[in-house]
Amino acid sequence: MWDWWRSLISGECPIELNPPKELLIEKIIQGRLGRLSSDGAICLETLEQGMTLHLDAETFINLKQQLMKLITLMKPTVFISDKMLGDELNPLFGLRVVTTSPMMALQCEVLYASRHKKSLLGELTIYHWSLAGFPWKEMGLPGPVVHVLHEETNELLLIGDSTFQDVKSLCMNFLDLRLGPHHLALFQAAASFDEQGQFLMFVGHKGSGKSTLARAP
């Protein structure tokens, strides 16, 4: 199952651990995954929202093994972002994103903090396959873009053109799972400015429509 790790370590698969932003931007431009605006921002199209699946342990392991085999077979560049969520004084959990997408790696690099201490709620590992060729039909999956969470091992699979918003949503789901036994609930906020320049903030639980309201004209 972990043969692909050995191939990464041996150099058969190119690997970039916590790559610098400059390298990731260069990879994004070279691969035409996004464009550079006049003020230096990376722009990309919003991609299709995936569906979240709940699979039994055996099916999850089988799906993960298929993903590992593809990495070993196709030998894409793999970007590993070893980060943490939370502030420097109170890191919530460690986040390790293994992705074939430089765009996903760049967003992790920019938005999440470098790991430097033990986290409170454990570790979350996300495996993200962004390239074409995943045999989703042969695997009996309902579509080419899926998200799967394995609650016992704290692992997530993202298959297809997932966006960074998917990563954030899955991290929130993970937090909900870990906070539930402590009788705590995750509370979030979304904000926007209206046409008159007034600041609006919407506060509520996950899935209560905050972002939808913030985007509304």
Side-chain angles (χ1 to χ4, degrees), residues 99-113:
T99 178
T100 56
S101 166
M103 180 64 77
M104 186 75 78
L106 176 65
Q107 291 169 318
C108 289
E109 180 68 30
V110 171
L111 294 180
Y112 292 150

Side-chain angles (χ1 to χ4, degrees), residues 42-62:
I42 290 288
C43 304
L44 73 160
E45 296 294 327
T46 301
L47 302 174
E48 177 185 358
Q49 180 76 16
M51 58 191 78
T52 300
L53 303 181
H54 300 280
L55 305 177
D56 59 79
E58 184 179 351
T59 307
F60 180 93
I61 291 171
N62 188 22

Side-chain angles (χ1 to χ4, degrees), residues 2-114:
W2 298 104
D3 286 347
W4 75 285
W5 272 117
R6 283 193 281 274
S7 70
L8 289 176
I9 295 170
S10 68
E12 293 178 39
C13 295
I15 180 172
E16 292 285 350
L17 176 62
N18 290 328
K21 293 186 286 291
E22 295 76 15
L23 171 67
L24 293 168
I25 292 172
E26 182 180 344
K27 296 279 187 185
I28 290 167
I29 300 302
Q30 286 178 348
R32 299 183 179 180
L33 304 173
R35 59 182 179 82
L36 200 61
S37 68
S38 58
D39 57 354
I42 290 288
C43 304
L44 73 160
E45 296 294 327
T46 301
L47 302 174
E48 177 185 358
Q49 180 76 16
M51 58 191 78
T52 300
L53 303 181
H54 300 280
L55 305 177
D56 59 79
E58 184 179 351
T59 307
F60 180 93
I61 291 171
N62 188 22
L63 190 62
K64 179 180 172 183
Q65 286 177 334
Q66 291 295 322
L67 190 147
M68 303 311 178
K69 286 179 182 177
L70 268 183
I71 290 179
T72 304
L73 178 66
M74 298 183 67
K75 297 181 175 57
T77 300
V78 175
F79 305 96
I80 299 180
S81 296
D82 196 28
K83 299 289 181 177
M84 71 177 192
L85 270 70
D87 59 37
E88 292 188 0
L89 297 177
N90 191 26
L92 290 176
F93 63 88
L95 176 65
R96 186 171 294 108
V97 180
V98 181
T99 178
T100 56
S101 166
M103 180 64 77
M104 186 75 78
L106 176 65
Q107 291 169 318
C108 289
E109 180 68 30
V110 171
L111 294 180
Y112 292 150
S114 296

Side-chain angles (χ1 to χ4, degrees), residues 161-196:
D161 287 330
S162 300
T163 68
F164 190 70
Q165 184 61 40
D166 298 324
V167 170
K168 291 202 298 184
S169 297
L170 292 167
C171 287
M172 294 303 104
N173 291 342
F174 174 79
L175 270 176
D176 272 345
L177 287 171
R178 292 295 164 265
L179 293 173
H182 302 286
H183 306 290
L184 297 172
L186 199 61
F187 216 50
Q188 303 176 56
S192 67
F193 286 92
D194 64 14
E195 294 179 354
Q196 287 74 41

Side-chain angles (χ1 to χ4, degrees), residues 48-55 63 67 70 129 131-148 157-162:
E48 177 185 358
Q49 180 76 16
M51 58 191 78
T52 300
L53 303 181
H54 300 280
L55 305 177
L63 190 62
L67 190 147
L70 268 183
W129 177 265
L131 307 176
F134 193 86
W136 60 273
K137 289 183 179 178
E138 293 86 338
M139 292 295 298
L141 299 176
V145 184
V146 296
H147 317 144
V148 191
L157 301 182
L158 294 185
I159 297 169
D161 287 330
S162 300

